[in-house]
Amino acid sequence: MKINDSTTESNIMEAAKRIFVLKGFEGARMQEIADEAGINKALLHYYFRSKDKLFEAVFIDAFVKFVPTILITLNSNSPLFRKIEVFVDHYIDVLSKNPFIPGFILHELGHNTERLSKIIRTVGLNPDLFVEQVKAEIEAGSINPIDPRDLLVNMLAMCIFPFVGKPILKVVLFKNNEEEYHEFLNRRKIAAAQFIINSIKKR
Amino acid sequence: MKINDSTTESNIMEAAKRIFVLKGFEGARMQEIADEAGINKALLHYYFRSKDKLFEAVFIDAFVKFVPTILITLNSNSPLFRKIEVFVDHYIDVLSKNPFIPGFILHELGHNTERLSKIIRTVGLNPDLFVEQVKAEIEAGSINPIDPRDLLVNMLAMCIFPFVGKPILKVVLFKNNEEEYHEFLNRRKIAAAQFIINSIKKR
DNA sequence: GTCTATATCCAGATAGAC
DNA sequence: GTCTATCTGGATATAGAC
C-alpha cells in the first residue's frame, strides 16, 4: 500500500485529481495541472509519461477510493431498512464533500467504456449479498415484491442524481439559490431513505 | 419558426448534434463534424462563425427540443397517479431513443454554468402547476406528505439515472450484457412508476 | 529531480480560387 | 456556397542544462 507522503508525486496526483475531476480529461490542460501542483509541465511528464497515463492513475485512484467505500455499507449485516437509512445518509454525506466525483466518473466511463470498464471489474463490485438479503425479505413476506437490482438502482439514483443534476435542479426548483439547494440536500439524507422504505414497506 | 429542410445548414446542425452529444464540446472535433455532414471544415465556419457558436446553437436546439416536451406531461390535467405513470413511461421511452442526451446536457451545463444557465431560464420551465397539484392531494389526505419538489426530483432521478449511469450499471448488475440492460429499461417503464406511487400512496 | 527552451503536432480559423 | 491551401495558436511531449 502506498503512503500518501507529501512527495512531489502525490502532490501531482492530488493536483491532477482536482483538475481532471473539475474539467474532465478533454477539458483539462497539463499546464493547469502543473500550476495547481506548483511545478512545471516537464516534471509531469517525468513522473507520469503522458497525459493518458496520468489520467488513468487519477481515475483508478478516484474510483477505488469512492465506489467501494460507499458500497461497503451494502454488505454490512444490518437489517434492510436500517441498511437503507445508513446507505443513503452516508452516500449523500460523502458526495456532499465531493460533489463533482459522480459526474466525473460517469462521464469518463461513458466516453471510454472499453478502456476503463476493466477497472470496474478489477475492483470487483459485488451486489450479491444485498440481492440475497432483499430476496429473503420478500420471501419472508416482510416487504413488497421488487427486483433487488431495481431497488439498488433506485437507491443509487436517489443519491447520485441530485449531484449530477445540480445545475438544472438549482435553477428550476431552487431559484438558483445555493442555500436552498443545500437545505434540500440535507433534508434529503432522511427524506430519500424514507421515500424508498415507504415504497417497499408492507402496511 | 425554422423549417428543417435538408439544407446544408440543417445538415450541419444534425451532424454537429450527433458529434457534440456523443463526445461533448471539448471532445468534439470540427473535422469530425465536417466529415459527418459530408462537407469540409471551411463550410462549417462559413455557416457558424466558430466552434463556440455552433455548439451553442446545437445545445439550445437539443435542450429546447427535449426538456420541455417531456415536462409538458407534468402540466396536463390528469390525476396525480395517472400523471406519474404517463410521465415515467413517456420519459423513459424518449430517452431510450436518445440515450446520450441527458449526460450531454448535464455535463455541458455543469461545465458552463454561467454561459448556459440563462438558456434554461429563457425556456422557462415551470413546475408550479405540478407543485400545486401535489400540495392539494396532501391537504386532501389522499397521499402521504412529501415536499412536492422532492417528489419531482425523485421522478427525474428514477428516469434519468439509468441512462447516465448505464456504463456502471451494465457491468455491475447486468453482466455487461446489453440485452439484459434493455430488458431492465423496459421493465422500468412500469416498475419505476409503481415504485414512486407505492411510496406516496396512502394505504 | 527540477528547470528552460524547443520540437512536434493538431485543431480552429482564414484567404482566396472557382 | 463550396472547395483547397494555409495560417496561427495552443497543447502534449522531449532535449538537455543544472
Side-chain angles (χ1 to χ4, degrees), chain A residues 133-202:
Chain A
Q133 182 177 23
V134 174
K135 277 188 191 164
E137 297 274 5
I138 294 170
E139 278 169 30
S142 48
I143 64 172
N144 294 318
I146 183 173
D147 186 319
R149 295 171 302 175
D150 287 11
L151 176 58
L152 184 51
V153 171
N154 296 347
M155 288 164 60
L156 292 169
M158 298 282 290
C159 293
I160 294 174
F161 181 72
F163 294 92
V164 296
K166 173 178 178 182
I168 210 167
L169 296 179
K170 212 174 118 183
V171 173
V172 174
L173 293 178
F174 304 112
K175 306 172 201 160
N176 214 19
N177 181 335
E178 190 74 16
E179 198 51 50
E180 278 205 43
Y181 171 75
H182 272 106
E183 286 167 19
F184 158 72
L185 280 187
N186 269 328
R187 267 190 288 125
R188 196 163 182 81
K189 284 192 202 167
I190 291 171
Q194 206 51 54
F195 188 84
I196 296 164
I197 291 172
N198 261 357
S199 183
I200 58 176
K201 192 180 208 165
K202 266 227 165 85

Side-chain angles (χ1 to χ4, degrees), chain A residues 111 154 188 195 199 203, chain B residues 22 111 154 188 195 199 203:
Chain A
H111 289 76
N154 296 347
R188 196 163 182 81
F195 188 84
S199 183
R203 279 171 293 176
Chain B
L22 221 57
H111 289 76
N154 296 347
R188 195 163 183 80
F195 187 84
S199 184
R203 277 170 294 175

Side-chain angles (χ1 to χ4, degrees), chain B residues 34-92:
Chain B
D35 293 347
E36 178 85 9
I39 53 167
N40 62 12
K41 278 191 297 177
L43 212 50
L44 289 183
H45 286 90
Y46 175 80
Y47 278 95
F48 302 81
R49 271 177 43 80
S50 67
K51 187 184 181 184
D52 275 291
K53 293 246 199 314
L54 175 55
F55 175 79
E56 199 155 313
V58 164
F59 183 86
I60 292 176
D61 190 67
F63 191 88
V64 170
K65 276 215 181 99
F66 260 82
V67 186
T69 59
I70 284 160
L71 291 191
I72 209 167
T73 62
L74 284 184
N75 290 329
S76 78
N77 51 13
S78 313
L80 184 60
F81 289 170
R82 175 77 189 134
K83 183 178 285 193
I84 292 173
E85 286 168 353
V86 171
F87 175 86
V88 171
D89 179 84
H90 181 211
Y91 208 156
I92 292 180

